Amino acid sequence: MDDTLALAVELISRPSVTPEDAGCQEVLMARLAALGFRIERLRFGEVDNFWARLGDIEPLLAFAGHTDVVPSGPPEQWQSPPFTPTVRDGMLYGRGAADMKGSLAAMITACERFLACHPHPHGSIAFLITSDEEGVAVDGTVKVVEHLEARGEKIRWCLVGEPSCVKQLGDTIKNGRRGSLNARFVLHGVQGHVAYPHLAQNPIHAIGPILTALSDEIWDQGHAFFPPTSFQISNIHAGTGADNVIPGPLELSFNFRFSPAVTVEQLQERTRLIIETGLLNEEVKTGQVFQYDLEWRLSGPPFFTTPGDLVAAVVAAIRHETGLEPALSTSGGTSDGRFIAPTGAQVVEFGPLNATIHKIDECVPSADLERLSRIYEGVLTQLLGAS
């Protein structure tokens, strides 16, 4: 078992279900301290984070990642226990193998090999590690970034270890992500007996045209590397469960994944106009006036790193190790890169295959982790190893 796989196995064996760390960060900090990194433990609320830095000169290359994982789901549905890492048929199984303990292990071993060859790098190396990425993400990377910004510590390049590849290691780099805007909409009807609809107001009947209008709306045409904004309903609930009761309130949750082609304020205002137009039409048609509440929560704005020296270094390292020419992508969900990019840092996400993340029997090809480590080492060599 090579060093990278062995470290991944040690991390996966710790059940660090978000926001618990389960000792993973102590393992990482011990390896980094042995290399001379200054370790700064940063606990915010109930969340463990750390910032580790080697060197005081510019430029600064930071590796970013998270030790927390999503719940395993029913353990009996796994072929092997989710927190008992198992190599089977060339695959490493276990919760976090892809997302993202394999990447963390590769980052550490990459630094170890790089520093063995370049004991005096031409710049500084740092690690920004949290245990609050898979959860609410309020006391993790965002707080560490605020802490660094308050003292004027700037990251030039940030390599996030999120699983980015689709079919084989090296085929995809994420150099941006769409923004995520969530909404909770409550339409207030009047509860009543189904036999006396004139004495009630049915919010389910009123919501139909509004949902159609929201779903049919073209919010934008996309922007540069980004696809058009998408609107998706995630939850809808109304009724008491009884067959003979017209519901009172109806609750609806929906999400926008949006590009820089549209602002948060534009999405909010256009949504409000669609809702109010629909309710006005309902009033004209039925004479019923509905009240509503609309609450918004921004998970993160979109970010984009223009192809430059960081993207070029990652592409070159991938090409050298795999022979592939990676595609640049902004697809997928959010990541902690959304908190780092606004500081002015170039942010790129690159990690192993993402086909099984958050699934039962999460896994990665075991040989890919050492190859991933070699790619990370290549990035370090290109950016900080030149004389």
Side-chain angles (χ1 to χ4, degrees):
M1 187 178 293
D2 61 59
D3 289 345
T4 306
L5 179 57
L7 180 53
V9 164
E10 183 175 4
L11 295 173
I12 294 168
S13 68
R14 298 171 181 270
S16 54
V17 177
T18 190
E20 295 298 323
D21 171 66
C24 291
Q25 292 183 18
E26 291 296 331
V27 173
L28 300 177
M29 287 187 287
R31 298 281 284 257
L32 292 171
L35 295 173
F37 281 77
R38 300 190 305 272
I39 309 297
E40 189 174 359
R41 290 176 171 83
L42 297 168
R43 185 173 174 85
F44 299 106
E46 299 300 314
V47 175
D48 290 313
N49 313 278
F50 76 82
W51 171 254
R53 179 164 178 162
L54 179 70
D56 296 306
I57 62 174
E58 300 298 330
L60 173 60
L61 168 64
F63 290 98
H66 59 91
T67 53
D68 59 320
V69 298
V70 296
S72 66
E76 65 275 9
Q77 294 185 17
W78 287 66
Q79 295 183 57
S80 51
F83 297 107
T84 301
T86 304
V87 177
R88 186 171 58 251
D89 299 325
M91 305 293 291
L92 171 64
Y93 289 84
R95 175 59 82 222
D99 191 13
M100 57 175 288
K101 293 180 177 181
S103 296
L104 295 176
M107 292 171 178
I108 295 291
T109 58
C111 279
E112 289 172 340
R113 284 195 310 274
F114 171 75
L115 291 170
C117 297
H118 303 86
H120 305 290
H122 297 273
S124 300
I125 308 170
F127 279 73
L128 193 169
I129 307 298
T130 183
S131 61
D132 186 34
E133 197 272 349
E134 297 290 9
V136 293
V138 297
D139 286 320
T141 298
V142 62
K143 290 288 181 66
V144 177
V145 169
E146 290 172 358
H147 178 76
L148 298 176
E149 286 287 289
R151 66 189 188 196
E153 194 166 1
K154 287 288 188 180
I155 299 169
R156 178 182 295 187
W157 303 303
C158 184
L159 185 50
V160 185
E162 289 292 339
S164 62
C165 297
V166 180
K167 294 182 178 179
Q168 56 184 321
L169 180 68
D171 64 10
T172 307
I173 295 171
K174 300 289 179 71
N175 64 323
R177 293 276 192 160
R178 294 173 296 175
S180 178
L181 179 63
N182 301 283
R184 176 178 175 271
F185 172 68
V186 180
L187 184 60
H188 298 283
V190 176
Q191 184 173 313
H193 197 292
V194 295
Y196 302 96
H198 59 288
L199 300 178
Q201 289 180 237
N202 195 324
I204 297 177
H205 292 182
I207 198 67
I210 295 172
L211 293 186
T212 299
L214 288 170
S215 300
D216 290 346
E217 180 76 1
I218 298 174
W219 303 94
D220 58 54
Q221 300 295 327
H223 179 273
F225 283 84
F226 291 83
T229 293
S230 69
F231 166 86
Q232 288 294 313
I233 298 166
S234 54
N235 291 281
I236 185 167
H237 175 76
T240 65
D243 294 337
N244 59 351
V245 178
I246 294 171
L250 178 148
E251 295 187 18
L252 176 73
S253 299
F254 56 89
N255 173 270
F256 290 101
R257 293 299 166 103
F258 64 101
S259 79
V262 66
T263 67
V264 169
E265 293 74 21
Q266 288 170 336
L267 291 173
Q268 291 173 333
E269 178 62 16
R270 287 167 63 184
T271 299
R272 184 188 66 80
L273 287 174
I274 289 172
I275 290 171
E276 293 192 351
T277 299
L279 294 180
L280 180 60
N281 291 339
E282 182 71 15
E283 182 180 356
V284 170
K285 182 174 69 174
T286 67
Q288 295 185 327
V289 178
F290 286 84
Q291 303 298 318
Y292 72 91
D293 296 310
L294 182 59
E295 300 173 356
W296 296 96
R297 179 174 61 84
L298 178 65
S299 296
F303 71 88
F304 179 70
T305 293
T306 302
D309 41 14
L310 178 58
V311 170
V314 178
V315 169
I318 291 170
R319 188 188 300 125
H320 180 267
E321 179 64 28
T322 68
L324 298 177
E325 196 68 28
L328 299 180
S329 171
T330 59
S331 65
T334 58
S335 79
D336 276 359
R338 69 189 188 273
F339 303 125
I340 302 168
T343 69
Q346 297 178 39
V347 179
V348 164
E349 299 174 19
F350 178 69
L353 299 181
N354 59 21
T356 63
I357 59 174
H358 294 202
K359 292 184 178 181
I360 300 293
D361 288 332
E362 179 181 350
C363 60
V364 291
S366 55
D368 276 2
L369 297 184
E370 185 65 17
R371 298 173 71 209
L372 178 61
S373 178
R374 296 289 180 186
I375 292 170
Y376 289 157
E377 182 186 1
V379 175
L380 283 163
T381 300
Q382 291 186 70
L383 294 177
L384 302 180
S387 59

